Amino acid sequence: MSNTLQAIRGMNDILPEQTPVWQFVEDTLRAVLAAYGYREIRMPVVEKTELFKRSIGEVTDIVEKEMYTFTDRNGDSLTLRPEGTASCVRACIQHGLINNQVQRLWYTGPMFRHERPQKGRYRQFYQVGVEVFGLEGPDIDAELLIMTARLWKRLGLRDLVLQLNSLGTVEARAAFKGALVEYLQAHFEQLDADSQRRLETNPLRILDSKNPDVQALLGDAPRLSDYIDEDSKAHFDALLALLDAAGVDYEINPRLVRGLDYYGRTVFEWVTDQLGAQGTVCAGGRYDALVDYLGGKATPAVGFAMGLERLIALLENQQAVFPDSAPHLYLVAMGDTAQREGLLMAERLRDALPWLRIQTHCGGGSFKSQFKKADRSGARYALVIGEDEVARGEAGIKPLRDRGEQQSVAFTDLAGYFAETLSDNTTRRVSDGR
Ligand code: ATP
Ligand code: MG
């Protein structure tokens, strides 16, 4: 074993038995996003390091210690993207997508962060990100959240709680930050080392601390909601009213922050208590200042990113049902003539029923060993032909998943037979791994 190469720690292979549930999540996401008129954009996985330093900020966990940064052969500093928003904004500015236009965009792909690997936290992980440019009202914030709620429903997920907060404008937050720092400095000794460091670098992130002592201290700290400007408050109230009207439940969490200066107004997270410490499945908010900050014309923006590994772990926890992608039929053929006939028959069936999944046995072997493989494939039926069947122009159909006799059906009737007995929308549970 010591000589065999292994994947890098925190970077996972997604094996064939796992990909059907990934495809289910991706297909469902695509369908829901299309239902709201969102269009896909694809960006490179590598960007200039500068982009992330500028957009995410030098004093965030990501830039301070999580980026995969390297110098390429030209001597340029490049970074494997730790998230997608920066690249998306860069691409939109570069291609003029947001000059006086509204864009509703989404992307998916791997992101890279050098974190301590644990359940729900990896060094390569997949996100689906959604970004909207050119809309500043609460209606689009509501749309994003309503769309996400619909996604959970389509995926069959339960028990995700929406937490919401408003950060106000940059000025309102700056005033709050001053008051918070003053309060925390007076209680400096009670802060843990991490929070003491953040007090210097990024004090708002202290609100996010998981340390119960720090949280207790924050109980008496100044409250962001007391500093929120009137416009932001009205924006937030209008968002809440839309969510109420749409029947999307939420909790207001006054401690919810994003540690980046360009975030403002709405911030949100969808969280679950079913995934241990890594319970945030989807996180986002409004970042009206970023486009300007990265050199584009000032454009309001709002978006979110969700972690697909966490979503899938939750689907597994909740025994969700998803489409079965195992073959419908496994073709068992004995002898040269039957094998050739079988191959052509499978082609004719695929012509007639484009949704049908047939796996053809290759490599010969006894009936017994072929049936074993048929069984292992997860197929519903074995389609059986030997020399006798070819002579009679009939195939045997043997149920593999339930009891039932083998039947004979004429070659010419097979397509009609399967059109009636099979469909393309069978399902299975995430837990019946194959
Ligand atoms: P956390 O507080 O869990 O570190 P974050 O604030 O760093 O999350 P974001 O940058 O907002 O996360 O990313 C959005 C989502 O991407 C997260 O809510 C989570 O679902 C997922 N995610 C982030 N980092 C990882 C990771 N290392 N492994 C797996 N999923 C991740
Ligand atoms: Mg993180």
Side-chain angles (χ1 to χ4, degrees), residues 233-416:
K233 198 172 171 315
H235 192 278
F236 195 50
D237 290 343
L239 168 61
L240 300 185
L242 287 170
L243 293 177
D244 289 338
V248 174
D249 294 335
Y250 54 83
E251 285 174 2
I252 294 173
N253 175 358
R255 306 262 167 80
L256 187 66
V257 288
R258 317 242 78 205
L260 318 181
D261 277 348
Y262 59 75
Y263 272 99
R265 295 201 163 161
T266 315
V267 287
F268 58 85
E269 288 189 2
W270 287 92
V271 298
T272 171
D273 57 11
Q274 293 172 16
L275 294 177
Q278 270 59 249
T280 303
V281 167
C282 173
R286 190 160 267 290
Y287 53 95
D288 295 338
L290 182 62
V291 177
D292 174 44
Y293 194 67
L294 285 178
K297 178 168 165 265
T299 305
V302 56
F304 63 76
M306 52 181 102
L308 295 189
E309 286 81 359
R310 294 185 193 178
L311 262 185
I312 285 162
L314 194 59
L315 280 168
E316 280 166 0
N317 256 10
Q318 297 186 357
Q319 302 268 309
V321 166
F322 69 103
D324 194 354
S325 53
H328 296 105
L329 307 177
Y330 189 99
L331 183 80
V332 167
M334 222 20 211
D336 290 345
T337 322
Q339 266 168 31
R340 195 185 56 243
E341 273 310 308
L343 185 120
L344 300 177
M345 184 203 305
E347 285 307 302
R348 283 195 301 273
L349 282 173
R350 293 186 187 107
D351 282 341
L353 306 172
W355 49 265
L356 189 68
R357 297 184 297 271
I358 314 176
Q359 191 165 323
T360 306
H361 181 83
C362 287
S366 65
F367 263 131
K368 193 167 167 224
S369 77
Q370 293 196 32
F371 270 113
K372 228 186 208 161
K373 297 206 167 87
D375 211 32
R376 230 183 284 149
S377 75
R380 298 272 301 281
Y381 297 100
L383 190 59
V384 190
I385 45 175
E387 305 296 333
D388 290 352
E389 281 81 4
V390 174
R392 289 202 308 270
E394 285 182 345
I397 299 171
K398 186 176 185 319
L400 296 172
R401 300 281 142 237
D402 37 48
R403 262 179 260 256
E405 292 296 301
Q406 179 164 326
Q407 299 190 39
S408 287
V409 174
F411 287 174
T412 47
D413 294 341
L414 278 173

Side-chain angles (χ1 to χ4, degrees), residues 149-169:
R150 179 177 298 277
L151 174 69
W152 308 146
K153 207 159 109 193
R154 288 247 190 120
L155 289 171
L157 284 176
R158 305 176 308 271
D159 308 329
L160 277 160
V161 174
L162 171 60
Q163 300 202 339
L164 278 177
N165 193 21
S166 175
L167 300 180
T169 58

